[in-house]
Amino acid sequence: MYQALVKLRCLLLATLIILPTCVIAEEWIYTVRPGDNLWNLTERHLTGMQYVTKLQRLNGIQNPYVIPPGTPLRIPMAWTRMGENVHAQIVSVYGSVFIQRPPQEKIPAEVGMQLWAGDIIQSENDSFVTIEFTDNSEMRVQDNSRVRIKKMQILGDYGLVETLIDLEQGRIENSVLEKPFTGTRFRIQTPSAISSVRGTSFRVGTIDSHTATTSEVLSGNVNVSNTKSDVQVPAGFGTVTPLGAPPSPPVALLPPPDLSETSSYYESLPLVIHLKPLSGVKGYRAQIATDRDFKNLWSEFTTVTLPFRDGDIPDGDYWMRIRGIDASEIEGKDAIIRFSLNARPEPPFIIAPIPGGTTTPENQEFSWTTQSEASHYALMISQDSEFSSLIYFNSEIKENNLTLTEPLVPGHYFWRIFSVSANEGAGPFSDVMSFRVPYPGPALEETKLGENEITFSWRAAATGQSFHFQLARDAAFSDIIYDEMTSASQITIQKPDGGTYYLRIKTIESDGFHGPWGPNQLIEIPRDMPYWLMLLLLLPLLVLI
């Protein structure tokens, strides 16, 4: 009995010694496939057959010959047979990204380039690269980041793909695929933490001059650890790990921003991106890509104020995602919107009529500056600012001016113009510009010359109009002898001395707008006959009498 107790104590002691080591040691969780047993698993993946018994004991397997498919097996990494080294591949690159491969100098990153363990990826401002690994996992290196590939290796007989990434500065976004029978061990190492995953989507970034690490989990689970402690971070949560301190308890990620006020179509640069403010944010991050999966990034920017503004991107269709950043620098969930940009060729600068200006009552002329990229222009005119009913449209204007062959009737109008180029096609419209076609100054219809008075009459073109009347001795109207405004369509004045006079009239519309002066009109007033001339003319008659 005593000997049995001693053996039991030794067995328990051995178990206490072995199990913590196995638990603490890095492990590969293998999923049993049909036809697997402990012997063929050990032969394919482990360094020696002596691990059959240890593998059985570690996983509590009753029958080593029959293991149900789908059973997870814990395999310490130290038992695993090292396999071949593998490479990764660049699948997209934008901007200035360089690869440094000792002892070579750094070389520009290109799509299709193979990357090996030891390579360093350096992205500059507004530059991005997406890398695909052997197990189809992807890593998107954001701008101003420095990443070193420390390990890419297949363990066992293609049983486990191990990847170790050293994020020295910046941010990376990762998508790790979980395969049913091939294991994936994907780890991101920073100065303050290691993030380990199997089948998940997560982000890792360095902050505070690289003295802390943020980890944000979008799907799956991530184990974040360092020498102080470790924490499991589930989907929808994030943690901060300061240098020399344990990871913080996971906190919920900020919800996606509300993009209900965000436009899906832009016609000018820089982009001005509006969104509803999100509660609890320190700032925002926005990313623009040409694909829904954001593998091909074109632009990324952060701001602490709204709206967003972004600079120069080509015309086209894009995807944009925006997320909030909390006070701990943990970035939240993404809101995604698709949008289009048509900013080129830019519309020309307008010369006439200027917004709110007028044209001549007849032969309305429109002019603008020459747009160097444009092959021709298109111009449209409407009586409503929505251009729901066009009065005029011309899409083949070769010059930088246009005179209408059929004048517009007096009234209020709106016009806009856009440029067309061979490379970009039709560009965006200019701003909508209002203008007025005024009523011309009325012409005299009747003049009545009395003994002491003279009456001028004309016709009102519309109700509510009034008029401005002037009579002058010269055509330049520098010597005005009569100046009056009247709501009537006639005016009676004291007859001036005989001679040549000039008159003009302009229309004042009901809203107070003064139209142009009508054409100058000349009138001759008969001169009175002097008394002595009358006697001279009557003298022959007196002689006959």
Side-chain angles (χ1 to χ4, degrees):
M1 184 70 176
Y2 176 78
Q3 291 180 344
L5 290 174
V6 171
K7 290 183 179 180
L8 180 61
R9 286 186 60 189
C10 292
L11 179 60
L12 289 174
L13 181 61
T15 303
L16 291 174
I17 293 173
I18 293 173
L19 287 182
T21 304
C22 296
V23 171
I24 295 172
E26 296 177 342
E27 292 182 337
W28 163 24
I29 306 300
Y30 177 84
T31 302
V32 174
R33 305 166 63 175
D36 282 344
N37 58 57
L38 292 187
W39 278 269
N40 59 27
L41 282 177
T42 302
E43 183 179 9
R44 290 201 312 267
H45 302 304
L46 305 188
T47 57
M49 298 304 295
Q50 70 271 21
Y51 288 106
V52 171
T53 305
K54 295 180 180 180
L55 198 60
Q56 181 180 5
R57 185 185 308 123
L58 176 64
N59 289 275
I61 296 174
Q62 299 298 322
N63 186 350
Y65 297 98
V66 180
I67 309 174
T71 301
L73 293 183
R74 295 166 53 197
I75 303 177
M77 295 295 298
W79 300 356
T80 307
R81 175 164 49 84
M82 296 296 105
E84 61 179 312
N85 292 323
V86 292
H87 65 268
Q89 182 170 300
I90 295 176
V91 295
S92 71
V93 61
Y94 174 79
S96 299
V97 179
F98 297 94
I99 306 301
Q100 187 171 351
R101 181 175 298 160
Q104 298 179 7
E105 298 293 328
K106 62 181 183 180
I107 56 177
E110 296 180 355
V111 173
M113 180 182 292
Q114 293 183 350
L115 302 179
W116 300 87
D119 286 351
I120 298 172
I121 302 109
Q122 176 72 57
S123 63
E124 297 188 354
N125 189 48
D126 212 20
S127 301
F128 318 95
V129 62
T130 300
I131 298 166
E132 184 177 82
F133 297 92
T134 301
D135 59 357
N136 299 122
S137 297
E138 289 184 343
M139 176 176 68
R140 288 173 288 280
V141 180
Q142 297 171 230
D143 64 347
N144 298 310
S145 298
R146 181 179 172 88
V147 175
R148 183 190 302 270
I149 300 176
K150 296 195 71 172
K151 182 186 294 186
M152 290 187 297
Q153 194 171 39
I154 294 176
L155 303 182
D157 184 15
Y158 211 93
L160 176 69
V161 179
E162 182 179 29
T163 305
L164 176 59
I165 304 297
D166 187 2
L167 174 61
E168 298 180 4
Q169 70 176 51
R171 288 185 60 85
I172 54 177
E173 299 179 350
N174 310 279
S175 178
V176 180
L177 301 180
E178 184 173 18
K179 297 194 173 183
F181 299 118
T182 300
T184 292
R185 187 165 182 259
F186 195 97
R187 294 176 296 162
I188 306 294
Q189 175 180 292
T190 68
S192 61
I194 294 179
S195 299
S196 304
V197 302
R198 290 192 312 273
T200 190
S201 176
F202 70 109
R203 306 186 292 247
V204 177
T206 60
I207 59 174
D208 296 335
S209 300
H210 325 312
T211 60
T213 300
T214 58
S215 303
E216 302 130 16
V217 183
L218 305 179
S219 65
N221 289 274
V222 172
N223 177 270
V224 179
S225 63
N226 60 12
T227 57
K228 300 293 183 180
S229 180
D230 72 299
V231 63
Q232 292 292 328
V233 184
F237 285 77
T239 183
V240 177
T241 308
L243 187 64
S248 66
V251 297
L253 301 182
L254 290 171
D258 184 348
L259 303 186
S260 61
E261 297 180 357
T262 305
S263 176
S264 60
Y265 185 73
Y266 297 88
E267 291 188 323
S268 62
L269 291 171
L271 295 175
V272 180
I273 303 164
H274 295 270
L275 67 150
K276 289 185 177 180
L278 182 63
S279 178
V281 303
K282 176 183 178 181
Y284 300 87
R285 182 183 297 274
Q287 296 173 323
I288 295 175
T290 56
D291 63 304
R292 178 65 174 79
D293 296 326
F294 288 81
K295 294 180 181 179
N296 300 299
L297 284 179
W298 272 90
S299 182
E300 181 177 42
F301 41 96
T302 58
T303 183
V304 295
T305 59
L306 297 178
F308 280 101
R309 282 178 169 80
D310 189 35
D312 192 20
I313 61 176
D315 288 354
D317 297 322
Y318 295 91
W319 292 88
M320 175 168 57
R321 62 185 180 190
I322 302 175
R323 53 182 176 259
I325 306 172
D326 69 15
S328 300
E329 300 288 344
I330 294 175
E331 302 192 3
K333 297 179 180 179
D334 292 313
I336 299 176
I337 187 172
R338 189 175 186 178
F339 74 93
S340 297
L341 172 67
N342 181 28
R344 302 175 183 85
E346 295 180 356
F349 291 105
I350 301 305
I351 297 176
I354 61 174
T358 61
T359 64
T360 58
E362 297 182 352
N363 301 319
Q364 288 87 33
E365 182 176 353
F366 300 81
S367 59
W368 52 89
T369 59
T370 300
Q371 226 296 350
S372 60
E373 299 177 10
S375 59
H376 59 280
Y377 307 92
L379 182 148
M380 58 181 60
I381 302 172
S382 175
Q383 284 189 301
D384 67 276
S385 60
E386 301 298 324
F387 291 81
S388 58
S389 178
L390 292 181
I391 293 175
Y392 179 86
F393 178 66
N394 189 335
S395 61
E396 294 292 336
I397 305 172
K398 302 295 184 181
E399 306 297 330
N400 64 333
N401 60 80
L402 171 73
T403 300
L404 298 183
T405 56
E406 296 184 10
L408 302 171
V409 299
H412 292 269
Y413 295 90
F414 300 88
W415 76 293
R416 60 186 181 183
I417 189 172
F418 61 87
S419 305
V420 183
S421 75
N423 295 330
E424 298 283 351
F429 286 110
S430 66
D431 292 336
V432 175
M433 296 163 287
S434 64
F435 69 97
R436 183 196 299 253
V437 176
Y439 285 89
L444 287 178
E445 290 191 342
E446 184 180 11
T447 301
K448 294 181 179 179
L449 182 63
E451 183 177 352
N452 297 314
E453 297 177 331
I454 185 170
T455 300
F456 302 97
S457 301
W458 57 88
R459 180 179 298 177
T463 58
Q465 292 179 336
S466 57
F467 307 92
H468 190 178
F469 174 89
Q470 287 184 340
L471 183 70
R473 292 190 176 92
D474 62 317
F477 284 79
S478 60
D479 186 7
I480 297 173
I481 64 172
Y482 198 86
D483 188 319
E484 184 176 338
M485 294 186 183
T486 178
S487 58
S489 56
Q490 69 175 30
I491 192 168
T492 299
I493 65 173
Q494 185 177 0
K495 186 175 71 175
D497 295 336
T500 301
Y501 294 89
Y502 299 86
L503 66 89
R504 63 184 181 183
I505 309 168
K506 69 178 176 181
T507 301
I508 304 173
E509 297 184 29
S510 58
D511 62 357
F513 175 79
H514 287 236
W517 290 106
N520 291 356
Q521 301 176 61
L522 183 146
I523 183 171
E524 292 283 349
I525 304 294
R527 299 179 185 275
D528 292 334
M529 190 174 295
Y531 177 73
W532 60 269
L533 181 58
M534 291 181 63
L535 291 178
L536 184 62
L537 294 173
L538 293 173
L539 184 59
L541 297 175
L542 294 174
V543 172
L544 293 175
I545 294 175

